Amino acid sequence: MRRIFSIHPYSPTPLLPIIVMAITMIFLSGCRNEQISDDPSLRLTFSQDTLRFDTVFTTVGSATKSVIVYNPNPNAVVISKVTQAQRRYFSINLDGENDLSRLTNLRINGQDSLILFVNVYIDPQEKNTPVLVEDAVVFETNGNTQTLRLEAYGQDVEKIRSQARKSIFDSYTFTAVKPYLIYDTLLVTGDLVMTSGARLYFHQGASLIAEGSVAIGAPSSSTPLPPYSSTPLPPYSHILCAPDRIDNLFDSVPYAYSAGGWDGIYIRHQAGGSDEYHIDGLDLISATNGLQIINEDSCGLSSVACSLTNSRIHNQANNGLSVRNMDVEVTNTEISNCGQFCVYLMGGKHTFIHSTIAAYFNSTNVRIQSTIHYPLSTAVYVDNADSLPKVTAEFMNCVITGLGSQNLCWADTIKEDYEGRIFGNYLKTDSLHNSPSGVTIGDSRTIHNNIYWTPEDTAQVFINTFFEYQKYDYYDFHLGEFSPARGIADSAVATLYTSDKDGLPRTPSHANAGCYER
């Protein structure tokens, strides 16, 4: 039987006419897009009118950036000429061509685009402060002239580099005159000095090792550094130690947000060496191992001490601050966002006063870290071993918190070898119990007058503990407006520390826990 088809008013439209119509429209549209128009009203558009590079170290060069050159018109246009004004600092590649003089009568179809690639290489400027360099790329289309501006700041640097991949100095003083670019291992066997305002940038894998005396910063210094980059890097302290990648990982996310950009700083006490180490105003960011303080003299464990004040150790791939066999006092300091432990303590007397220790590593909705957050990591881990002296760990007027529920932990073995006082703190940990009477609890630790996080708490402790890519709001461990850490500090201790890490006054009667009063 022959089947006869008819179109019912309510039946679906046959597909064949629709397909034919779509193909026809695409064909006609394609022909129109390729048809060249010399209408002078047709203009190009650029993904940005000015291509800006963040600070570029002279003689090093920049990463490559790009600009999309787009023809938003229905018809094709012809770019009759592309020229570069100076051709001194900026290298251009357009449509696969580095020599712009060869680009004549370059056609862009309607609603199509080209990509312009640009990088920067700046000669030494013989100046200590950043120098602005400029150029322009000029497009001539249908009698119109359109200009794409190029800008970059060139910064002269003091390079430290050796063919042996290790530079050794009897002593070294880092000043604020101009930044330092450290390519490999830098070993200082004698006096290591960093004056306020010094900026040290480390290449991938580079480290600083101090085996003599250490004097970093001036205790009375409170002058912040000026920004040397328009990129929103984490806030500066007085002395900056950071990766040398100061460009962006993508969009407006700088490489400095990714941990592991360099190795770290190691202070290694040797037999017969200095007995005191002073660090003030250090901002150590985005390394692998942060700051490691190690006493390698087994006969002088009780006579060596290090002070760490007004500092910030942030975004380390492994530990932030590691201390082995040395007495350390940490005050007005933020140690935050580390892949393993923010603070690792093993051997010696360790005192933390008005410090903020926050473990929110990789708390973000964008992949910026090359390492994961270790499952068993915690903000503070106090370790011990039979061969080490008794550990004394004291925490007074601190904030210790993080993503997990255990952020102040002692090793499970030989708890009786631990001593310390823990009071006036805001703590997120299940391993301690509040004891208002101040009695010793099982392992020679006096624990009292702390505020503990509970699952019912809804108040925001810090301003921001989550990096949301779309908003570009970076972590901020200043206290939230209604933070439970506000006004809980022990007044007797707060009296001895009259200003916070930012230099703001601290009123003892209602001082905040942690290093920030704001």
Side-chain angles (χ1 to χ4, degrees):
M1 178 184 295
R2 190 177 66 173
R3 193 179 297 272
I4 300 175
F5 291 93
S6 63
I7 301 176
H8 190 274
Y10 299 101
S11 65
T13 304
L15 291 177
L16 183 60
I18 295 177
I19 294 173
V20 172
M21 183 180 298
I23 293 174
T24 303
M25 293 178 64
I26 292 172
F27 176 77
L28 294 175
S29 175
C31 292
R32 187 180 185 188
N33 288 351
E34 295 180 0
Q35 181 178 354
I36 297 175
S37 173
D38 58 1
D39 184 349
S41 67
L42 304 185
R43 299 174 67 84
L44 303 172
T45 60
F46 305 101
S47 57
Q48 48 192 314
D49 295 329
T50 302
L51 181 61
R52 293 184 175 90
F53 287 79
D54 297 312
T55 304
V56 176
F57 296 140
T58 57
T59 74
V60 175
S62 73
T64 300
K65 288 192 172 187
S66 61
V67 176
I68 298 176
V69 182
Y70 183 63
N71 174 19
N73 307 293
N75 295 109
V77 296
V78 172
I79 304 174
S80 56
K81 184 170 30 174
V82 183
T83 57
Q84 186 178 351
Q86 295 189 28
R87 293 183 294 176
R88 181 177 177 185
Y89 301 113
F90 299 87
S91 297
I92 308 294
N93 183 295
L94 178 62
D95 198 34
E97 180 59 63
N98 293 319
D99 186 356
L100 297 185
S101 64
R102 297 180 182 179
L103 291 176
T104 57
N105 299 324
L106 180 63
R107 185 173 75 177
I108 306 183
N109 289 335
Q111 299 181 349
D112 203 352
S113 61
L114 298 171
I115 300 180
L116 177 76
F117 295 99
V118 185
N119 56 42
V120 189
Y121 183 91
I122 303 176
D123 299 324
Q125 302 296 297
E126 305 302 329
K127 293 185 179 180
N128 296 326
T129 56
V131 176
L132 176 65
V133 297
E134 300 176 283
D135 204 343
V137 182
V138 181
F139 296 80
E140 296 183 15
T141 309
N142 290 1
N144 295 314
T145 298
Q146 293 177 263
T147 301
L148 170 67
R149 300 189 180 279
L150 308 175
E151 294 181 357
Y153 282 90
Q155 172 67 66
D156 286 352
V157 293
E158 186 76 33
K159 293 183 181 179
I160 301 177
R161 192 173 198 172
S162 170
Q163 293 289 340
R165 302 296 302 273
K166 187 175 186 178
S167 301
I168 303 176
F169 295 91
D170 293 334
S171 62
Y172 204 100
T173 298
F174 293 93
T175 69
V177 176
K178 58 184 176 182
Y180 296 83
L181 183 55
I182 301 168
Y183 278 94
D184 309 301
T185 300
L186 172 59
L187 172 61
V188 181
T189 59
D191 298 337
L192 170 65
V193 177
M194 296 184 193
T195 61
S196 294
R199 290 152 288 153
L200 284 66
Y201 295 93
F202 294 82
H203 198 60
Q204 182 72 46
S207 62
L208 173 60
I209 302 174
E211 293 185 343
S213 65
V214 174
I216 296 178
S220 61
S221 175
S222 60
T223 304
L225 286 178
Y228 283 91
S229 169
S230 59
T231 299
L233 288 172
Y236 284 100
S237 279
H238 312 309
I239 295 169
L240 177 67
C241 292
D244 67 346
R245 290 297 302 267
I246 57 176
D247 54 320
N248 284 352
L249 179 64
F250 49 84
D251 292 345
S252 297
V253 178
Y255 271 96
Y257 287 5
S258 179
W262 55 294
D263 189 5
I265 296 179
Y266 300 80
I267 297 176
R268 301 196 309 213
H269 174 76
Q270 309 289 316
S274 174
D275 289 340
E276 293 186 358
Y277 302 85
H278 299 284
I279 303 172
D280 182 82
L282 174 66
D283 196 1
L284 193 162
I285 63 171
S286 302
T288 297
N289 295 309
L291 175 62
Q292 296 206 21
I293 303 172
I294 306 167
N295 184 356
E296 298 179 346
D297 178 14
S298 60
C299 298
L301 298 180
S302 61
S303 60
V304 184
C306 177
S307 64
L308 175 65
T309 63
N310 303 316
S311 296
R312 181 171 176 261
I313 300 174
H314 173 72
N315 196 40
Q316 316 304 317
N318 293 331
N319 294 342
L321 172 66
S322 298
V323 183
R324 296 175 184 266
N325 306 345
M326 188 182 294
D327 293 351
V328 173
E329 182 175 281
V330 180
T331 59
N332 273 348
T333 291
E334 175 193 320
I335 306 173
S336 55
N337 286 20
C338 300
Q340 195 162 4
F341 305 122
C342 289
V343 175
Y344 176 84
L345 306 173
M346 187 177 190
K349 181 179 180 180
H350 312 125
T351 302
F352 289 77
I353 304 172
H354 275 296
S355 290
T356 298
I357 306 172
Y360 294 89
F361 185 82
N362 220 7
S363 173
T364 175
N365 62 349
V366 61
R367 179 68 182 270
I368 57 175
Q369 302 295 0
S370 59
T371 59
I372 63 173
H373 190 245
Y374 293 92
L376 298 179
S377 61
T378 181
V380 178
Y381 189 79
V382 184
D383 205 349
N384 204 358
D386 292 333
S387 59
L388 298 175
K390 182 177 292 187
V391 174
T392 300
E394 300 187 327
F395 300 92
M396 295 171 274
N397 294 359
C398 295
V399 175
I400 303 175
T401 185
L403 292 171
S405 60
Q406 291 278 22
N407 290 287
L408 178 54
C409 296
W410 272 255
D412 291 336
T413 60
I414 52 177
K415 288 186 177 181
E416 64 274 10
D417 285 347
Y418 299 124
E419 294 183 352
R421 296 173 296 168
I422 305 172
F423 61 88
N425 306 286
Y426 176 82
L427 304 172
K428 185 180 180 183
T429 178
D430 293 336
S431 60
L432 298 176
H433 302 281
N434 196 11
S435 175
S437 60
V439 300
T440 297
I441 302 181
D443 50 10
S444 301
R445 287 173 288 166
T446 303
I447 306 172
H448 61 98
N449 296 340
N450 300 296
I451 300 297
Y452 291 85
W453 174 89
T454 65
E456 293 76 25
D457 290 344
T458 58
Q460 191 172 352
V461 180
F462 302 116
I463 290 177
N464 188 26
T465 60
F466 185 85
F467 174 45
E468 188 169 346
Y469 170 61
Q470 290 81 2
K471 294 182 179 180
Y472 302 114
D473 289 334
Y474 198 66
Y475 307 100
D476 188 343
F477 295 111
H478 290 77
L479 298 182
E481 183 178 0
F482 302 103
S483 173
R486 287 190 173 276
I488 68 167
D490 181 88
S491 59
V493 174
T495 301
L496 304 175
Y497 302 90
T498 57
S499 61
D500 74 351
K501 181 183 175 297
D502 292 335
L504 297 176
R506 178 177 283 130
T507 304
S509 60
H510 52 274
N512 298 337
C515 63
Y516 298 113
E517 285 297 304
R518 180 170 65 84

